[in-house]
Amino acid sequence: MTETVPKMLQEAAAKWPKIPAQYFKNEKGAFSSFTYEELFQKALDFGAGLLSLGIKREENVGLISDNRFEWLQACMGIMAIGAADVPRGCDAVEKDLAYILSFAECKTTVAENPAQVRKIIGLKTSLPDLKRIICFDDIADDLKKECKKAKVDILGFSDVMASGKAYREKHPGKVEQELDKGTGESTACIIFTSGTTGEPKGVMIRHRNFIAQLDELPERINLTPGERALCVLPVWHSFERSCEYVILIQGGAICYSKPIGSIMLADFQALNPQIIPAVPRVFEAIYEGINRAMRKTGGIVFVLYSFFTAVAVLHSRIDRVLFNTTARFKKTCPVPKWIFLTLPWLLLYPLKLLGGAIIFKKIRAKLGNAFRGGVSGGGALPPVVDNFFAAVGVKLVEGYGLTETAPVVSVRPFYRPVFGTVGSPIRGVEVRIVGEDGSVLPPGEKGVVHVRGGIVMKGYYKKPDLTARVIDKDGWFNTGDLGMLTVDGELVLRGRIKDTIVLRGGENVEPLPIEMRINESRFVFQSVVVGQDEKYLAALIVPSEEEVKAFAAEKGILYDSYEKLLKESEVQKLFETEISSLVNAKSGFRLFERINAFRLLPKAFQVGVELSAKQEIMRYKIPELYAKEMQSLFR
């Protein structure tokens, strides 16, 4: 297998020169494309442009941008000359941006637009190494003056590309020679973690870490040349990068869209893609949107939808038990389950087919007629969402990984997904579960997930002590995640060590399963469970504004503002009932895991404030951001 990511693109361009590699919206709002040959040549042009500016091998180049076709061309160009990109999205706050670009000693930074350029030059006093900025968008004269005042050179992306073409004509084969020099041990990028536990850490990912995943992932997430994948994840994140490489090595096309319901569904119709990789929240939003639309339709349609969905979910669960496609922690005799479950399976099957013909067929049609499945990663997929998509006949597989593992450790394959798990480790990767005493635990016992293999990072940038803490002498990386293995070798996750809430009574509580359960309510948009060092658990809840207002209209509740509506006794009682009906003994929660108090928040959690770029709760920020609310919860 090839050694580096740019060499992988070079091989793909040789195999499929005329096949589209990137789809993007042009100025008229219609989709245009670049072929593999065009993408590869543009990457070489940008790499050559960087060489003309004096950028050298092993230099770090900042790359601050959201999803757009230029990002991949720039990234590939940076890696082609042996430099490493230091990526981040446009939502990066000034504090993090100053830390990342200064700590990585970036002399050159690529920025998406004038707003990002101004953000960066505003931090110039904290960025002593910064010499130049390359902007994807056009540069106005006033911005050029601002950069000159800050003593930073400003260049347009198109100008660098033009310089690169001229450089290649003057120095034929030079940029290709630099590409050939690359090895698997070379650093491809330094991705700073999103800081869910504090100060960002620079994860050094080698080319061989990315390439190691490409041995088996195409077998599990398969495409054929010319097929399309709709991409809505933050392009700088390791999950999206890995997805794009899986697409490119198979000759597929990366189709850029946005995780906004109306835009994404319209792009589905326009592009008719085969797969979509996304964070769980995207699939939750699709699920909630379908339910909301059905409730608004009402009448017999909603009754039939609810009935057939319940039937299909039940049949799917029975099917998984019968055919061993659900998590198993011990082997049992198959005879009893076939005796007791065969008849219900047979009786429900015609009803499931009928539901598919009159209800679910219309849902699947919204995803086009070529859709193969979704890939969920970057967070825990709620079981209710997982079960729903399986029941309606839409394939959705869940994967697991970390930035430190480039990132894919495991993923369910399209051809045989095992529910309740994140799949078995990919080829060449080992996973073990370690107990508190350091012993390796057998299947079914919960402990800390350790990973070893070619996917494990080089280390944390300029932090060897921190690297030594998480990677032992035998190469095992301590993920900090809690999990267990099934008897069939799949991995099941159970939360994170640092997320664990310890109550005053000494009880250890994993908040994520409780939050996922609360979030099943159609009235709940977001939730976070709190209670560290307290007597009981409580929750901060962001309601679904649309659903709460619909409830108020139905009940005839008058209100002056949404904030006042949330304080109405009937609304408070509604949420009290919802929470108690979801988190109780019947649903498997122990007494100390139940929610004793809650506070409704009028404003949704935001990326960069309460949420990381992957839309995970940055729990360490909650006590500070909601000090007043938490004081009232535990008064």
Side-chain angles (χ1 to χ4, degrees), residues 304 308-309 350-361 364:
L304 290 173
F308 283 120
T309 298
L351 289 173
K352 183 178 179 180
L353 289 179
L354 182 60
I358 64 175
I359 300 291
F360 305 146
K361 183 180 179 181
R364 294 194 297 268

Side-chain angles (χ1 to χ4, degrees), residues 80-291:
I81 65 168
D85 64 270
V86 182
R88 199 67 172 193
C90 291
D91 59 352
V93 296
E94 282 82 352
K95 179 185 174 184
D96 283 353
L97 207 55
Y99 176 81
I100 290 166
L101 296 178
S102 62
F103 192 67
E105 302 169 284
C106 295
K107 297 175 184 176
T108 302
T109 291
V110 181
E112 175 168 0
N113 51 39
Q116 298 309 308
V117 174
R118 288 190 171 92
K119 187 193 292 185
I120 294 166
I121 61 174
L123 303 168
K124 184 61 176 74
T125 54
S126 303
L127 304 173
D129 296 300
L130 185 66
K131 292 182 178 179
R132 69 180 67 86
I133 298 173
I134 300 168
C135 185
F136 285 148
D137 286 347
D138 294 334
I139 309 159
D141 290 338
D142 59 339
L143 183 57
K144 291 178 181 177
K145 291 177 183 177
E146 291 176 49
C147 290
K148 186 176 181 180
K149 187 177 179 181
K151 296 181 180 179
V152 174
D153 293 335
I154 181 75
L155 301 165
F157 179 72
S158 57
D159 295 330
V160 175
M161 294 289 272
S163 298
K165 284 184 178 180
Y167 183 91
R168 292 178 69 188
E169 289 176 8
K170 189 175 180 180
H171 306 279
K174 175 63 177 173
V175 68
E176 288 87 349
Q177 289 172 14
E178 292 299 325
L179 186 150
D180 289 339
K181 288 179 187 176
T183 71
E185 294 302 318
S186 304
T187 301
C189 58
I190 303 173
I191 301 178
F192 281 79
T193 58
S194 49
T196 55
T197 56
E199 186 180 88
K201 301 183 290 288
V203 178
M204 294 184 289
I205 302 179
R206 294 167 287 206
H207 284 274
R208 73 175 178 87
N209 299 143
F210 284 127
I211 296 299
Q213 300 168 83
L214 301 179
D215 178 34
E216 191 193 359
L217 277 180
E219 297 172 20
R220 301 194 186 194
I221 312 298
N222 59 300
L223 288 168
T224 58
E227 291 188 329
R228 295 167 296 281
L230 199 68
C231 293
V232 298
L233 292 166
V235 70
W236 65 271
H237 194 268
S238 58
F239 179 33
E240 172 64 14
R241 286 179 79 130
S242 181
C243 289
E244 293 194 0
Y245 301 157
V246 171
I247 295 163
L248 293 173
I249 201 171
Q250 298 182 82
I254 299 164
C255 306
Y256 298 102
S257 184
K258 294 183 178 180
I260 300 169
S262 57
I263 296 174
M264 191 170 64
L265 288 174
D267 291 345
F268 255 109
Q269 298 294 322
L271 292 165
N272 203 23
Q274 276 71 28
I275 66 170
I276 174 173
V279 292
R281 184 60 207 154
V282 170
F283 298 110
E284 284 182 74
I286 296 172
Y287 165 71
E288 290 164 0
I290 292 169
N291 280 332

Side-chain angles (χ1 to χ4, degrees), residues 286-298 301-302 305 366 546-547:
I286 296 172
Y287 165 71
E288 290 164 0
I290 292 169
N291 280 332
R292 193 178 300 118
M294 289 297 179
R295 279 195 299 271
K296 282 185 176 179
T297 302
V301 173
F302 181 61
Y305 167 76
K366 292 184 179 295
E546 185 177 346
E547 294 293 347

Side-chain angles (χ1 to χ4, degrees), residues 52-66:
S52 72
L53 293 171
I55 294 170
K56 297 180 174 59
R57 180 169 294 276
E58 297 184 1
E59 191 170 323
N60 297 330
V61 178
L63 183 48
I64 314 303
S65 173
D66 290 334

Side-chain angles (χ1 to χ4, degrees), residues 41 77 103 186 389 464 490 517 550 608:
Q41 292 303 322
F103 192 67
S186 304
F389 280 107
E490 297 97 6
R517 187 67 175 167

